[in-house]
Amino acid sequence: MSLNEQELRREAIRRRLNGERRKDICQDLERSTRWFNKWWSEFKNDPHTDFADRSRAPLTDSTITTPELERLVIELRRAFEAANHGLIGARAIWGKLIELKVKPLPSEATIQRILVRHQLTHPLAAATETAYYPWLPVWAVNAVHATDIITKHIRGGLEVQNFHTLDLFTQAAALTQSLDKTSATACAHLLKAWEKLGLPCLHQFDNEGSFCGGHTHRLIIGRMLRLC
């Protein structure tokens, strides 16, 4: 059965996510690499795209906001501040709007203007200029994810392991909790995170034993590495 153009685009992206080479996909579907790059970029910018043709003329002005959108941005900012996890900026809010499938999606700059207009911005601490912290380049949604574990000690001696995975472009988060931090638990968290956020091009971990395969033997290929 022949596929229509929209289905071809969806098929190309599905095959690329499954690890096939771009060259092979284009040759098999009889399409150019430029065609593939266009729809790969479309998918990375909006993982929920339907791969339909878009008019080149903007349907809306992304700088114009509605009262409903302003209220949502303000509510998200205040909810993020109340959660006290540090992710409260325009990019974090923008990532949440993507997750909520808000249409039309405002730009990050528009969200920042809303925050400024309602006096919801805070100056950066002066100490942020005193140290250099290297970061991986983050160029799109699902370009780089980062995962770490935060241990919380509950009264009575119980330890709760909090697994956090962030999309470093949108600051969208996936969180799970467990009573242990074994490799099996870490892998289970990672599968849930990918199901929620999508598959990243790169995934960043620290030197936690459950991530690297333990510290007993050098250069071991651990369970999480095999999963990745």
Side-chain angles (χ1 to χ4, degrees):
M1 181 180 66
S2 61
L3 302 178
N4 62 36
E5 188 65 24
Q6 193 172 353
E7 291 169 338
L8 278 175
R9 297 161 185 168
R10 189 176 291 110
E11 174 69 6
I13 300 308
R14 183 191 67 78
R15 290 170 63 169
R16 185 68 183 92
L17 292 174
N18 285 337
E20 292 190 41
R21 298 191 308 170
R22 182 185 64 170
K23 178 181 177 181
D24 295 338
I25 296 170
C26 294
Q27 183 175 355
D28 189 34
L29 299 181
E30 299 181 347
R31 291 296 185 273
S32 67
T33 55
R34 183 177 180 182
W35 173 89
F36 177 88
N37 291 340
K38 173 184 176 181
W39 294 108
W40 180 251
S41 177
E42 177 87 8
F43 170 74
K44 284 300 182 180
N45 289 331
D46 180 9
H48 304 290
T49 181
D50 59 3
F51 297 101
D53 289 318
R54 305 283 189 269
S55 169
R56 292 182 180 273
L59 299 177
T60 58
D61 186 345
S62 63
T63 65
I64 298 176
T65 61
T66 63
E68 292 77 12
L69 176 62
E70 290 215 14
R71 282 196 294 271
L72 180 57
V73 169
I74 293 169
E75 288 173 3
L76 289 174
R77 173 56 173 254
R78 288 173 175 165
F80 288 169
E81 287 187 331
N84 195 30
H85 55 44
L87 304 173
I88 63 175
R91 177 164 291 186
I93 295 171
W94 183 71
K96 187 64 176 179
L97 294 179
I98 292 177
E99 184 180 332
L100 296 174
K101 301 181 181 179
V102 172
K103 300 289 185 180
L105 182 68
S107 66
E108 189 177 330
T110 298
I111 296 172
Q112 182 64 23
R113 283 192 291 271
I114 294 174
L115 297 177
V116 171
R117 186 157 58 242
H118 291 274
Q119 300 180 342
L120 292 173
T121 58
H122 307 299
L124 293 174
T128 58
E129 299 180 359
T130 64
Y132 167 70
Y133 298 96
W135 293 92
L136 287 169
V138 181
W139 62 92
V141 177
N142 289 329
V144 182
H145 288 183
T147 295
D148 65 359
I149 308 172
I150 298 177
T151 302
K152 292 294 183 180
H153 298 273
I154 309 301
R155 182 175 297 177
L158 186 66
E159 287 187 354
V160 176
Q161 308 299 335
N162 298 276
F163 290 77
H164 302 74
T165 293
L166 290 179
D167 181 328
L168 297 186
F169 187 78
T170 65
Q171 299 299 309
L175 314 175
T176 64
Q177 291 182 319
S178 179
L179 295 179
D180 64 68
K181 53 180 181 179
T182 63
S183 294
T185 300
C187 287
H189 162 79
L190 207 56
L191 290 173
K192 291 181 180 179
W194 289 341
E195 182 179 8
K196 177 181 179 182
L197 302 176
L199 288 172
C201 293
L202 298 171
H203 207 118
Q204 183 179 22
F205 305 97
D206 60 18
N207 61 353
E208 177 70 44
S210 56
F211 295 155
C212 68
H215 304 287
T216 305
H217 300 89
R218 296 183 63 232
L219 304 180
I220 187 173
I221 299 178
R223 184 170 183 173
M224 176 166 279
L225 183 56
R226 294 198 300 272
L227 174 63
C228 291

